[in-house]
Amino acid sequence: MSALRTALALSCAALALAGCGGGSDSSPVETPTPLAAPENFTVGSFAFFSWKATPEATRYELFTDPDGPGPQPEARMGDAEGFTYSSFNQQFNGSLTTGRYRYADFINATYRLRACNTTGCGAFTAAQVFDIAKSISYEFPTGRSPLKTSVGNTSLESLSRDGLTLAVALDNLYIFARSSTAHPWQQQAMFSSRATRLVLSADGNTLAVSGFFNADAPPVQVYQRSNATWSLQTTVDATQTPPACPQPCKVIADNTALSADGNVLAVTGRSGSAGSDTNAVFTYLRTGTAWAPQSYLAPAATSVGSAMALSGDGRTLAVNGGAFTRTQFTTPPYLYVYVQSPEGAWSEQARLPAGIMNFLDIAASRFSTVKLSSDGNTLAVEANHLPGNQPAEFNIGTGDLTCGSTEPWNTAPVPAGSYSNAAWHIAVFARDGSANWHRQAVMARSGVQWALANDGNALFYGGSLFTRSSGTWACP
């Protein structure tokens, strides 16, 4: 009888733990109240959460398991641990104070949430994974492509095309790797670096770092991986510019781009008598392990490079010349397309009209972004339509839209200095066999995140997937 009682007790204890839906080794054991588990609990990105309000709940509790199925215990993240949340229209948003934690402590974490009131706490949500790859990229059949956004101009995270190498800039520069998407991330390297922009090559072996808080730091640092070991391969000093660049010539790394194999680097800069805006792009070529300045490209405009992309093969570069700002409507911006000849020389191939935006002030922070396909034959640009303030070739009307629009389009003229009728969209340009470019599609959707497939035949935008076949884009 004693053995039977012991067995029953152990069985009940096991069932109680299983009912909690626990993490590794120390899930909370409580009798749940009738409160339902919060609905639509999602982990959008590192330390940010959202969920729908639970009826009769007065507070919520977040439990975190830092290593998921690993040996570390699950723990509640209360006020003392920096967890805060707020509500708006029955929708809750929460966050963890990231300064309290190392990125490496939570990259493999899972999270559970429950609603509580004065009588106790209800059932837990299912454990949600912190999926960093999903939050910063979209997975197409041809590999992962970074999710672009017009909000802000920094890039603190960058992922390889296969999703197996990740670079993160927080208090330091971290590099993680995993053997497959089913395996946890392992920290592969850490460097002391206060950067705000990261560009990882598609193969995951080269990393360009820029935007340093330290004024004495070089504009660009390039790291290279060899046999799972990372090292600083070179730095690009402000004065390391191509010989053809008119003096004074200086690297201003407001934007950078890498080819898929990491052997071509494009960096914005300033040349000649330019004011405070960048007006040039410099390219650098790696041969073996040695880097050297290659070309100087100048579209004869200011704000050059606030939107910039390099094709995967490193032979096509798209960069804006000029940009609409909050107070400027007079100089229409263009996308300049440069191509590299087999001999290595770069030349301008096309000048495409697009409503490039570049403004950062106390009221807003919006930037146009661009992406080129691997072969350079497809170009997508996030642009703004400013009816009444642009030449006719820039105008986008309802008849130009592919698959209609989920946004109200107003074609009335916009008063000077006003953005009341401005409309964001993605314009897709294609290059034919004769090196001629034409606008192939215009998508207008709600949402600020978008991604172009590496082969150029799919576009994820506003939660919709557009696909192309034989030059025609199909509606989702």
Side-chain angles (χ1 to χ4, degrees):
M1 290 298 292
S2 176
L4 177 59
R5 291 192 187 97
T6 301
L8 288 172
L10 289 173
S11 177
C12 290
L15 286 171
L17 283 173
C20 285
S24 35
D25 296 336
S26 66
S27 303
V29 181
E30 294 181 9
T31 302
T33 70
L35 286 174
E39 295 182 359
N40 300 335
F41 175 56
T42 60
V43 183
S45 60
F46 176 55
F48 289 95
F49 317 93
S50 63
W51 63 93
K52 186 179 178 181
T54 299
E56 300 181 10
T58 58
R59 62 185 177 89
Y60 297 87
E61 291 183 352
L62 176 73
F63 283 76
T64 303
D65 190 341
D67 60 352
Q72 296 187 44
E74 184 183 49
R76 178 189 168 192
M77 310 305 288
D79 295 342
E81 290 78 29
F83 176 60
T84 59
Y85 59 87
S86 60
S87 65
F88 179 75
N89 289 340
Q90 301 300 306
Q91 178 69 33
F92 278 82
N93 293 282
S95 64
L96 286 169
T97 304
T98 55
R100 296 174 182 262
Y101 309 107
R102 295 185 311 142
Y103 203 98
D105 293 336
F106 288 90
I107 194 169
N108 296 309
T110 58
Y111 301 90
R112 297 192 302 155
L113 186 76
R114 64 182 179 181
C116 306
N117 58 23
T118 55
T119 64
C121 297
F124 276 100
T125 63
Q128 297 293 322
V129 179
F130 166 43
D131 192 343
I132 178 62
K134 184 177 180 181
S135 70
I136 65 173
S137 68
Y138 186 83
E139 188 171 14
F140 295 97
T142 54
R144 289 195 172 272
S145 183
L147 283 169
K148 302 278 186 178
T149 175
S150 64
V151 180
N153 67 340
T154 59
S155 178
L156 300 177
E157 299 149 328
S158 189
L159 189 72
S160 61
R161 181 176 298 176
D162 60 11
L164 303 183
T165 305
L166 170 71
V168 179
L170 285 176
D171 52 329
N172 289 294
L173 173 61
Y174 299 91
I175 304 175
F176 299 92
R178 56 185 178 180
S179 56
S180 74
T181 55
H183 288 81
W185 291 101
Q186 301 292 330
Q187 184 173 308
Q188 202 168 55
M190 185 190 77
F191 299 97
S192 177
S193 176
R194 297 298 305 279
T196 61
R197 299 182 192 91
L198 305 178
V199 180
L200 188 66
S201 60
D203 64 9
N205 293 321
T206 305
L207 175 67
V209 181
S210 60
F212 302 100
F213 288 109
N214 182 0
D216 296 329
V220 183
Q221 294 176 344
V222 181
Y223 295 85
Q224 173 72 13
R225 178 170 59 186
S226 177
N227 297 322
T229 299
W230 287 87
S231 61
L232 178 63
Q233 186 176 65
T234 192
T235 60
V236 178
D237 186 81
T239 60
Q240 290 176 282
T241 56
C245 181
Q247 297 298 321
C249 189
K250 185 178 182 180
V251 174
I252 309 291
D254 290 338
N255 211 338
T256 56
L258 277 171
S259 59
D261 60 7
N263 288 331
V264 181
L265 169 69
V267 183
T268 54
R270 190 184 305 154
S271 67
S273 58
S276 59
D277 291 324
T278 53
N279 70 338
V281 175
F282 311 129
T283 64
Y284 298 80
L285 181 65
R286 178 172 59 188
T287 305
T289 59
W291 285 89
Q294 183 190 46
S295 296
Y296 151 75
L297 309 174
T302 59
S303 298
V304 169
S306 63
M308 184 171 71
L310 187 66
S311 61
D313 61 11
R315 294 188 174 275
T316 304
L317 174 73
V319 62
N320 72 298
F324 290 111
T325 67
R326 184 167 290 277
T327 58
Q328 173 190 333
F329 299 90
T330 55
T331 304
Y334 288 88
L335 271 174
Y336 292 77
V337 180
Y338 293 91
V339 294
Q340 186 184 39
S341 68
E343 295 73 32
W346 288 85
S347 60
E348 181 183 319
Q349 185 179 72
R351 194 174 301 185
L352 309 174
I356 299 291
M357 302 301 300
N358 177 28
F359 58 83
L360 172 63
D361 56 30
I362 195 171
S365 174
R366 296 295 295 266
F367 298 81
S368 292
T369 51
V370 297
K371 176 70 188 292
L372 276 163
S373 59
S374 294
D375 60 9
N377 291 327
T378 305
L379 168 65
V381 54
E382 183 180 31
N384 198 283
H385 178 221
L386 293 171
N389 289 285
Q390 300 175 164
E393 61 180 332
F394 285 79
N395 285 338
I396 301 292
T398 54
D400 299 311
L401 298 179
T402 304
C403 306
S405 172
T406 60
E407 304 240 0
W409 280 70
N410 191 331
T411 56
V414 181
S418 170
Y419 276 70
S420 59
N421 295 333
W424 287 87
H425 60 275
I426 303 290
V428 181
F429 296 87
R431 177 170 58 187
D432 61 25
S434 302
N436 294 317
W437 287 85
H438 66 281
R439 194 177 67 203
Q440 197 172 58
V442 179
M443 288 75 164
R445 289 292 184 270
S446 299
V448 296
Q449 289 189 320
W450 67 277
L452 179 71
N454 298 296
D455 63 1
N457 287 323
L459 174 74
F460 175 77
Y461 178 36
S464 299
L465 183 64
F466 301 83
T467 57
R468 180 177 62 181
S469 177
S470 302
T472 300
W473 287 89
C475 301

